[in-house]
Amino acid sequence: MKIEKNTVVTVSYKLTDAQNNPLEDGQEPIVYLHGGYESILPAIESALDGKEAGYSITIHVEPQEAFGDYDPELVRVESRDKFPAAIEVGMQFEGLPDDEESNALIFTITDIAGDQVVLDGNHPLAGIALRFALDVLDVRTATPEEIRHQHAHDTSIGTYDDDDDAHDNDHYRSIILH
């Protein structure tokens, strides 16, 4: 079966930067609904369109086509007293950018120094050119429910948050991989 709109694709991957330094080994394959549902990077979806199970490719994706350029304006220093008592580097919090007209962002604690906490609202892969080595493992027709919910329901991969299926206008869903 060819990959086309409203097919569910299972793809294994390895992610490196442009110099082939490993970033993620893709221990769990990605299962996504193909066809412009924004559940995978458009560059990956475009590279796989029309292909079949068994197809392999390595693609190069520039930051603008992936997670955007790194924006130093999204780094902020906040007072330690704005946070819970137990915090550590790597923890994430939802917050508004300084302009407050934008959507909420996920900020990651990158440093704690005395009574100051450094937060970064950039995606961890922002500003990095990426290489994806992709292997298509399976292609199947999406169910009507998957098309209505606009995401794949393949429960053989990871653990899904059932509450995410409660809304027909979902744009995102939670997948716990580890």
Side-chain angles (χ1 to χ4, degrees):
M1 167 177 269
K2 289 195 181 293
I3 297 172
E4 59 188 16
K5 186 169 181 67
N6 297 331
T7 56
V8 174
V9 180
T10 303
V11 60
S12 66
Y13 71 99
K14 291 192 192 265
L15 175 61
T16 64
D17 64 15
Q19 291 75 37
N20 283 326
N21 296 309
L23 298 174
E24 195 171 312
D25 63 3
Q27 292 179 3
E28 298 286 337
I30 298 169
V31 179
Y32 77 96
L33 179 60
H34 190 86
Y37 294 102
E38 299 180 4
S39 56
I40 198 162
L41 292 175
I44 293 175
E45 192 167 78
S46 177
L48 298 181
D49 197 53
K51 307 306 186 232
E52 298 178 341
Y55 179 74
S56 296
I57 189 172
T58 298
I59 64 169
H60 180 87
V61 183
E62 290 295 327
Q64 301 80 4
E65 299 173 287
F67 301 101
D69 290 319
Y70 187 84
D71 183 355
E73 296 290 319
L74 295 178
V75 176
R76 58 168 68 162
V77 178
E78 299 286 348
S79 174
R80 172 71 179 83
D81 62 10
K82 291 184 177 183
F83 296 89
I87 62 169
E88 59 187 53
V89 171
M91 290 180 80
Q92 296 181 322
F93 295 90
E94 186 173 10
L96 293 173
D98 287 334
D99 65 16
E100 298 202 18
E101 291 184 21
S102 300
N103 294 327
L105 296 173
I106 302 297
F107 287 88
T108 303
I109 295 176
T110 58
D111 193 20
I112 303 168
D115 63 348
Q116 301 292 305
V117 177
V118 180
L119 300 166
D120 190 343
N122 287 286
H123 186 282
L125 298 175
I128 300 173
L130 304 170
R131 284 192 182 151
F132 290 89
L134 306 166
D135 295 302
V136 178
L137 304 176
D138 188 49
V139 182
R140 67 170 173 82
T141 302
T143 67
E145 182 181 30
E146 289 171 318
I147 295 167
R148 190 172 65 253
H149 289 171
Q150 299 185 358
H151 57 254
H153 290 175
D154 188 336
T155 57
S156 68
I157 307 298
T159 303
Y160 293 85
D161 182 345
D162 292 335
D163 291 338
D164 286 345
D165 287 340
H167 308 287
D168 286 338
N169 64 347
D170 282 350
H171 293 295
Y172 304 98
R173 65 186 278 138
S174 303
I175 303 174
I176 304 163
L177 293 177
H178 305 288

PDB file of all heavy atoms in Angstrom, residues 38-69:
ATOM      1  N   GLU A  38      -0.454  17.580  10.576  1.00  0.00           N
ATOM      2  CA  GLU A  38       0.547  18.230  11.430  1.00  0.00           C
ATOM      3  C   GLU A  38       0.998  17.346  12.581  1.00  0.00           C
ATOM      4  O   GLU A  38       1.334  17.828  13.660  1.00  0.00           O
ATOM      5  CB  GLU A  38       0.027  19.574  11.946  1.00  0.00           C
ATOM      6  CG  GLU A  38      -0.274  20.552  10.828  1.00  0.00           C
ATOM      7  CD  GLU A  38      -0.793  21.889  11.306  1.00  0.00           C
ATOM      8  OE1 GLU A  38      -0.864  22.124  12.525  1.00  0.00           O
ATOM      9  OE2 GLU A  38      -1.132  22.710  10.442  1.00  0.00           O
ATOM     10  N   SER A  39       1.034  16.035  12.357  1.00  0.00           N
ATOM     11  CA  SER A  39       1.491  15.128  13.401  1.00  0.00           C
ATOM     12  C   SER A  39       2.940  14.702  13.201  1.00  0.00           C
ATOM     13  O   SER A  39       3.489  13.959  14.011  1.00  0.00           O
ATOM     14  CB  SER A  39       0.583  13.899  13.476  1.00  0.00           C
ATOM     15  OG  SER A  39       0.513  13.255  12.230  1.00  0.00           O
ATOM     16  N   ILE A  40       3.547  15.185  12.144  1.00  0.00           N
ATOM     17  CA  ILE A  40       4.955  14.907  11.855  1.00  0.00           C
ATOM     18  C   ILE A  40       5.486  16.089  11.056  1.00  0.00           C
ATOM     19  O   ILE A  40       4.703  16.835  10.450  1.00  0.00           O
ATOM     20  CB  ILE A  40       5.108  13.565  11.099  1.00  0.00           C
ATOM     21  CG1 ILE A  40       6.540  13.056  11.171  1.00  0.00           C
ATOM     22  CG2 ILE A  40       4.601  13.676   9.675  1.00  0.00           C
ATOM     23  CD1 ILE A  40       6.677  11.585  10.849  1.00  0.00           C
ATOM     24  N   LEU A  41       6.785  16.286  11.046  1.00  0.00           N
ATOM     25  CA  LEU A  41       7.344  17.403  10.284  1.00  0.00           C
ATOM     26  C   LEU A  41       6.928  17.298   8.816  1.00  0.00           C
ATOM     27  O   LEU A  41       7.007  16.220   8.220  1.00  0.00           O
ATOM     28  CB  LEU A  41       8.864  17.404  10.379  1.00  0.00           C
ATOM     29  CG  LEU A  41       9.471  17.709  11.739  1.00  0.00           C
ATOM     30  CD1 LEU A  41      10.991  17.558  11.684  1.00  0.00           C
ATOM     31  CD2 LEU A  41       9.087  19.090  12.221  1.00  0.00           C
ATOM     32  N   PRO A  42       6.516  18.407   8.203  1.00  0.00           N
ATOM     33  CA  PRO A  42       6.117  18.384   6.801  1.00  0.00           C
ATOM     34  C   PRO A  42       7.196  17.827   5.869  1.00  0.00           C
ATOM     35  O   PRO A  42       6.876  17.155   4.887  1.00  0.00           O
ATOM     36  CB  PRO A  42       5.814  19.851   6.478  1.00  0.00           C
ATOM     37  CG  PRO A  42       5.439  20.448   7.800  1.00  0.00           C
ATOM     38  CD  PRO A  42       6.295  19.721   8.814  1.00  0.00           C
ATOM     39  N   ALA A  43       8.473  18.080   6.167  1.00  0.00           N
ATOM     40  CA  ALA A  43       9.556  17.568   5.316  1.00  0.00           C
ATOM     41  C   ALA A  43       9.587  16.042   5.328  1.00  0.00           C
ATOM     42  O   ALA A  43       9.871  15.410   4.297  1.00  0.00           O
ATOM     43  CB  ALA A  43      10.900  18.123   5.771  1.00  0.00           C
ATOM     44  N   ILE A  44       9.300  15.443   6.472  1.00  0.00           N
ATOM     45  CA  ILE A  44       9.259  13.979   6.549  1.00  0.00           C
ATOM     46  C   ILE A  44       8.048  13.470   5.785  1.00  0.00           C
ATOM     47  O   ILE A  44       8.145  12.533   4.986  1.00  0.00           O
ATOM     48  CB  ILE A  44       9.227  13.501   8.015  1.00  0.00           C
ATOM     49  CG1 ILE A  44      10.555  13.835   8.701  1.00  0.00           C
ATOM     50  CG2 ILE A  44       8.922  12.008   8.101  1.00  0.00           C
ATOM     51  CD1 ILE A  44      10.584  13.523  10.181  1.00  0.00           C
ATOM     52  N   GLU A  45       6.899  14.086   6.008  1.00  0.00           N
ATOM     53  CA  GLU A  45       5.684  13.662   5.315  1.00  0.00           C
ATOM     54  C   GLU A  45       5.859  13.755   3.795  1.00  0.00           C
ATOM     55  O   GLU A  45       5.501  12.834   3.061  1.00  0.00           O
ATOM     56  CB  GLU A  45       4.494  14.503   5.782  1.00  0.00           C
ATOM     57  CG  GLU A  45       3.179  13.910   5.320  1.00  0.00           C
ATOM     58  CD  GLU A  45       1.982  14.525   6.005  1.00  0.00           C
ATOM     59  OE1 GLU A  45       1.599  15.638   5.625  1.00  0.00           O
ATOM     60  OE2 GLU A  45       1.435  13.869   6.902  1.00  0.00           O
ATOM     61  N   SER A  46       6.449  14.824   3.333  1.00  0.00           N
ATOM     62  CA  SER A  46       6.689  15.004   1.898  1.00  0.00           C
ATOM     63  C   SER A  46       7.629  13.934   1.345  1.00  0.00           C
ATOM     64  O   SER A  46       7.398  13.390   0.264  1.00  0.00           O
ATOM     65  CB  SER A  46       7.267  16.399   1.655  1.00  0.00           C
ATOM     66  OG  SER A  46       7.562  16.589   0.304  1.00  0.00           O
ATOM     67  N   ALA A  47       8.683  13.610   2.090  1.00  0.00           N
ATOM     68  CA  ALA A  47       9.656  12.608   1.632  1.00  0.00           C
ATOM     69  C   ALA A  47       9.040  11.214   1.541  1.00  0.00           C
ATOM     70  O   ALA A  47       9.480  10.393   0.730  1.00  0.00           O
ATOM     71  CB  ALA A  47      10.866  12.585   2.561  1.00  0.00           C
ATOM     72  N   LEU A  48       8.031  10.940   2.368  1.00  0.00           N
ATOM     73  CA  LEU A  48       7.438   9.601   2.396  1.00  0.00           C
ATOM     74  C   LEU A  48       6.190   9.468   1.528  1.00  0.00           C
ATOM     75  O   LEU A  48       5.741   8.348   1.263  1.00  0.00           O
ATOM     76  CB  LEU A  48       7.099   9.212   3.844  1.00  0.00           C
ATOM     77  CG  LEU A  48       8.284   9.131   4.801  1.00  0.00           C
ATOM     78  CD1 LEU A  48       7.818   8.723   6.195  1.00  0.00           C
ATOM     79  CD2 LEU A  48       9.357   8.188   4.282  1.00  0.00           C
ATOM     80  N   ASP A  49       5.636  10.580   1.074  1.00  0.00           N
ATOM     81  CA  ASP A  49       4.413  10.541   0.273  1.00  0.00           C
ATOM     82  C   ASP A  49       4.599   9.675  -0.972  1.00  0.00           C
ATOM     83  O   ASP A  49       5.569   9.840  -1.716  1.00  0.00           O
ATOM     84  CB  ASP A  49       3.999  11.956  -0.121  1.00  0.00           C
ATOM     85  CG  ASP A  49       2.566  12.026  -0.593  1.00  0.00           C
ATOM     86  OD1 ASP A  49       1.687  11.547   0.143  1.00  0.00           O
ATOM     87  OD2 ASP A  49       2.331  12.561  -1.696  1.00  0.00           O
ATOM     88  N   GLY A  50       3.702   8.735  -1.172  1.00  0.00           N
ATOM     89  CA  GLY A  50       3.745   7.862  -2.346  1.00  0.00           C
ATOM     90  C   GLY A  50       4.643   6.644  -2.200  1.00  0.00           C
ATOM     91  O   GLY A  50       4.706   5.805  -3.095  1.00  0.00           O
ATOM     92  N   LYS A  51       5.328   6.510  -1.072  1.00  0.00           N
ATOM     93  CA  LYS A  51       6.240   5.372  -0.855  1.00  0.00           C
ATOM     94  C   LYS A  51       5.484   4.218  -0.198  1.00  0.00           C
ATOM     95  O   LYS A  51       4.320   4.338   0.151  1.00  0.00           O
ATOM     96  CB  LYS A  51       7.437   5.797   0.001  1.00  0.00           C
ATOM     97  CG  LYS A  51       8.179   7.028  -0.509  1.00  0.00           C
ATOM     98  CD  LYS A  51       8.623   6.882  -1.940  1.00  0.00           C
ATOM     99  CE  LYS A  51       9.468   8.065  -2.354  1.00  0.00           C
ATOM    100  NZ  LYS A  51       9.085   8.724  -3.549  1.00  0.00           N
ATOM    101  N   GLU A  52       6.171   3.089  -0.014  1.00  0.00           N
ATOM    102  CA  GLU A  52       5.563   1.890   0.567  1.00  0.00           C
ATOM    103  C   GLU A  52       6.432   1.337   1.683  1.00  0.00           C
ATOM    104  O   GLU A  52       7.585   1.764   1.850  1.00  0.00           O
ATOM    105  CB  GLU A  52       5.405   0.818  -0.520  1.00  0.00           C
ATOM    106  CG  GLU A  52       4.494   1.223  -1.666  1.00  0.00           C
ATOM    107  CD  GLU A  52       4.398   0.163  -2.749  1.00  0.00           C
ATOM    108  OE1 GLU A  52       5.282  -0.715  -2.823  1.00  0.00           O
ATOM    109  OE2 GLU A  52       3.431   0.220  -3.522  1.00  0.00           O
ATOM    110  N   ALA A  53       5.882   0.369   2.430  1.00  0.00           N
ATOM    111  CA  ALA A  53       6.658  -0.309   3.471  1.00  0.00           C
ATOM    112  C   ALA A  53       7.932  -0.857   2.842  1.00  0.00           C
ATOM    113  O   ALA A  53       7.923  -1.368   1.711  1.00  0.00           O
ATOM    114  CB  ALA A  53       5.843  -1.425   4.102  1.00  0.00           C
ATOM    115  N   GLY A  54       9.038  -0.742   3.551  1.00  0.00           N
ATOM    116  CA  GLY A  54      10.340  -1.175   3.052  1.00  0.00           C
ATOM    117  C   GLY A  54      11.182  -0.041   2.501  1.00  0.00           C
ATOM    118  O   GLY A  54      12.389  -0.184   2.313  1.00  0.00           O
ATOM    119  N   TYR A  55      10.569   1.109   2.254  1.00  0.00           N
ATOM    120  CA  TYR A  55      11.283   2.262   1.716  1.00  0.00           C
ATOM    121  C   TYR A  55      12.174   2.871   2.794  1.00  0.00           C
ATOM    122  O   TYR A  55      11.783   2.998   3.949  1.00  0.00           O
ATOM    123  CB  TYR A  55      10.287   3.312   1.217  1.00  0.00           C
ATOM    124  CG  TYR A  55      10.920   4.560   0.666  1.00  0.00           C
ATOM    125  CD1 TYR A  55      11.537   4.557  -0.581  1.00  0.00           C
ATOM    126  CD2 TYR A  55      10.917   5.741   1.388  1.00  0.00           C
ATOM    127  CE1 TYR A  55      12.121   5.700  -1.095  1.00  0.00           C
ATOM    128  CE2 TYR A  55      11.496   6.892   0.884  1.00  0.00           C
ATOM    129  CZ  TYR A  55      12.095   6.869  -0.356  1.00  0.00           C
ATOM    130  OH  TYR A  55      12.676   8.002  -0.860  1.00  0.00           O
ATOM    131  N   SER A  56      13.387   3.251   2.414  1.00  0.00           N
ATOM    132  CA  SER A  56      14.337   3.901   3.328  1.00  0.00           C
ATOM    133  C   SER A  56      14.895   5.145   2.671  1.00  0.00           C
ATOM    134  O   SER A  56      15.122   5.164   1.459  1.00  0.00           O
ATOM    135  CB  SER A  56      15.495   2.958   3.669  1.00  0.00           C
ATOM    136  OG  SER A  56      15.034   1.842   4.367  1.00  0.00           O
ATOM    137  N   ILE A  57      15.124   6.160   3.479  1.00  0.00           N
ATOM    138  CA  ILE A  57      15.693   7.411   2.988  1.00  0.00           C
ATOM    139  C   ILE A  57      16.327   8.156   4.153  1.00  0.00           C
ATOM    140  O   ILE A  57      15.913   7.991   5.301  1.00  0.00           O
ATOM    141  CB  ILE A  57      14.607   8.308   2.312  1.00  0.00           C
ATOM    142  CG1 ILE A  57      15.248   9.510   1.611  1.00  0.00           C
ATOM    143  CG2 ILE A  57      13.554   8.728   3.322  1.00  0.00           C
ATOM    144  CD1 ILE A  57      14.265  10.328   0.766  1.00  0.00           C
ATOM    145  N   THR A  58      17.327   8.964   3.859  1.00  0.00           N
ATOM    146  CA  THR A  58      17.873   9.899   4.833  1.00  0.00           C
ATOM    147  C   THR A  58      17.609  11.290   4.284  1.00  0.00           C
ATOM    148  O   THR A  58      17.951  11.577   3.129  1.00  0.00           O
ATOM    149  CB  THR A  58      19.384   9.678   5.056  1.00  0.00           C
ATOM    150  OG1 THR A  58      19.572   8.361   5.587  1.00  0.00           O
ATOM    151  CG2 THR A  58      19.956  10.702   6.016  1.00  0.00           C
ATOM    152  N   ILE A  59      16.978  12.134   5.098  1.00  0.00           N
ATOM    153  CA  ILE A  59      16.672  13.491   4.653  1.00  0.00           C
ATOM    154  C   ILE A  59      17.350  14.504   5.565  1.00  0.00           C
ATOM    155  O   ILE A  59      17.570  14.256   6.742  1.00  0.00           O
ATOM    156  CB  ILE A  59      15.153  13.768   4.583  1.00  0.00           C
ATOM    157  CG1 ILE A  59      14.512  13.693   5.967  1.00  0.00           C
ATOM    158  CG2 ILE A  59      14.482  12.835   3.603  1.00  0.00           C
ATOM    159  CD1 ILE A  59      13.085  14.218   6.002  1.00  0.00           C
ATOM    160  N   HIS A  60      17.693  15.639   4.989  1.00  0.00           N
ATOM    161  CA  HIS A  60      18.293  16.762   5.706  1.00  0.00           C
ATOM    162  C   HIS A  60      17.202  17.822   5.860  1.00  0.00           C
ATOM    163  O   HIS A  60      16.545  18.183   4.883  1.00  0.00           O
ATOM    164  CB  HIS A  60      19.471  17.311   4.904  1.00  0.00           C
ATOM    165  CG  HIS A  60      20.140  18.466   5.551  1.00  0.00           C
ATOM    166  ND1 HIS A  60      21.153  18.322   6.467  1.00  0.00           N
ATOM    167  CD2 HIS A  60      19.932  19.803   5.425  1.00  0.00           C
ATOM    168  CE1 HIS A  60      21.541  19.514   6.871  1.00  0.00           C
ATOM    169  NE2 HIS A  60      20.815  20.420   6.252  1.00  0.00           N
ATOM    170  N   VAL A  61      17.005  18.294   7.081  1.00  0.00           N
ATOM    171  CA  VAL A  61      15.964  19.285   7.352  1.00  0.00           C
ATOM    172  C   VAL A  61      16.604  20.499   8.022  1.00  0.00           C
ATOM    173  O   VAL A  61      17.221  20.385   9.084  1.00  0.00           O
ATOM    174  CB  VAL A  61      14.852  18.691   8.259  1.00  0.00           C
ATOM    175  CG1 VAL A  61      13.748  19.699   8.481  1.00  0.00           C
ATOM    176  CG2 VAL A  61      14.293  17.405   7.663  1.00  0.00           C
ATOM    177  N   GLU A  62      16.457  21.642   7.384  1.00  0.00           N
ATOM    178  CA  GLU A  62      16.986  22.893   7.946  1.00  0.00           C
ATOM    179  C   GLU A  62      16.130  23.334   9.134  1.00  0.00           C
ATOM    180  O   GLU A  62      14.957  22.965   9.231  1.00  0.00           O
ATOM    181  CB  GLU A  62      17.005  23.988   6.875  1.00  0.00           C
ATOM    182  CG  GLU A  62      18.038  23.765   5.788  1.00  0.00           C
ATOM    183  CD  GLU A  62      19.468  23.816   6.302  1.00  0.00           C
ATOM    184  OE1 GLU A  62      19.750  24.583   7.245  1.00  0.00           O
ATOM    185  OE2 GLU A  62      20.299  23.077   5.760  1.00  0.00           O
ATOM    186  N   PRO A  63      16.693  24.142  10.037  1.00  0.00           N
ATOM    187  CA  PRO A  63      15.937  24.574  11.222  1.00  0.00           C
ATOM    188  C   PRO A  63      14.572  25.188  10.893  1.00  0.00           C
ATOM    189  O   PRO A  63      13.591  24.923  11.576  1.00  0.00           O
ATOM    190  CB  PRO A  63      16.852  25.614  11.881  1.00  0.00           C
ATOM    191  CG  PRO A  63      18.223  25.228  11.452  1.00  0.00           C
ATOM    192  CD  PRO A  63      18.067  24.668  10.055  1.00  0.00           C
ATOM    193  N   GLN A  64      14.511  25.988   9.824  1.00  0.00           N
ATOM    194  CA  GLN A  64      13.263  26.646   9.471  1.00  0.00           C
ATOM    195  C   GLN A  64      12.170  25.641   9.096  1.00  0.00           C
ATOM    196  O   GLN A  64      10.988  25.936   9.196  1.00  0.00           O
ATOM    197  CB  GLN A  64      13.463  27.620   8.305  1.00  0.00           C
ATOM    198  CG  GLN A  64      14.465  28.701   8.563  1.00  0.00           C
ATOM    199  CD  GLN A  64      15.915  28.245   8.379  1.00  0.00           C
ATOM    200  OE1 GLN A  64      16.208  27.123   7.982  1.00  0.00           O
ATOM    201  NE2 GLN A  64      16.840  29.137   8.699  1.00  0.00           N
ATOM    202  N   GLU A  65      12.563  24.446   8.652  1.00  0.00           N
ATOM    203  CA  GLU A  65      11.602  23.404   8.273  1.00  0.00           C
ATOM    204  C   GLU A  65      11.343  22.428   9.423  1.00  0.00           C
ATOM    205  O   GLU A  65      10.550  21.506   9.281  1.00  0.00           O
ATOM    206  CB  GLU A  65      12.130  22.601   7.089  1.00  0.00           C
ATOM    207  CG  GLU A  65      12.376  23.405   5.843  1.00  0.00           C
ATOM    208  CD  GLU A  65      13.062  22.562   4.790  1.00  0.00           C
ATOM    209  OE1 GLU A  65      14.259  22.271   4.948  1.00  0.00           O
ATOM    210  OE2 GLU A  65      12.367  22.171   3.844  1.00  0.00           O
ATOM    211  N   ALA A  66      12.022  22.653  10.547  1.00  0.00           N
ATOM    212  CA  ALA A  66      11.894  21.723  11.675  1.00  0.00           C
ATOM    213  C   ALA A  66      11.358  22.480  12.886  1.00  0.00           C
ATOM    214  O   ALA A  66      10.159  22.703  13.001  1.00  0.00           O
ATOM    215  CB  ALA A  66      13.237  21.057  11.969  1.00  0.00           C
ATOM    216  N   PHE A  67      12.241  22.899  13.777  1.00  0.00           N
ATOM    217  CA  PHE A  67      11.818  23.514  15.030  1.00  0.00           C
ATOM    218  C   PHE A  67      12.168  24.989  15.107  1.00  0.00           C
ATOM    219  O   PHE A  67      12.147  25.580  16.189  1.00  0.00           O
ATOM    220  CB  PHE A  67      12.422  22.736  16.201  1.00  0.00           C
ATOM    221  CG  PHE A  67      11.985  21.296  16.182  1.00  0.00           C
ATOM    222  CD1 PHE A  67      12.820  20.299  15.707  1.00  0.00           C
ATOM    223  CD2 PHE A  67      10.713  20.945  16.599  1.00  0.00           C
ATOM    224  CE1 PHE A  67      12.411  18.983  15.662  1.00  0.00           C
ATOM    225  CE2 PHE A  67      10.282  19.631  16.560  1.00  0.00           C
ATOM    226  CZ  PHE A  67      11.134  18.647  16.095  1.00  0.00           C
ATOM    227  N   GLY A  68      12.494  25.591  13.966  1.00  0.00           N
ATOM    228  CA  GLY A  68      12.755  27.016  13.895  1.00  0.00           C
ATOM    229  C   GLY A  68      14.170  27.390  14.285  1.00  0.00           C
ATOM    230  O   GLY A  68      14.949  26.568  14.763  1.00  0.00           O
ATOM    231  N   ASP A  69      14.488  28.650  14.039  1.00  0.00           N
ATOM    232  CA  ASP A  69      15.775  29.187  14.450  1.00  0.00           C
ATOM    233  C   ASP A  69      15.772  29.405  15.956  1.00  0.00           C
ATOM    234  O   ASP A  69      14.719  29.609  16.572  1.00  0.00           O
ATOM    235  CB  ASP A  69      16.049  30.521  13.748  1.00  0.00           C
ATOM    236  CG  ASP A  69      16.307  30.341  12.265  1.00  0.00           C
ATOM    237  OD1 ASP A  69      17.005  29.375  11.901  1.00  0.00           O
ATOM    238  OD2 ASP A  69      15.806  31.163  11.469  1.00  0.00           O
TER     239      ASP A  69
END
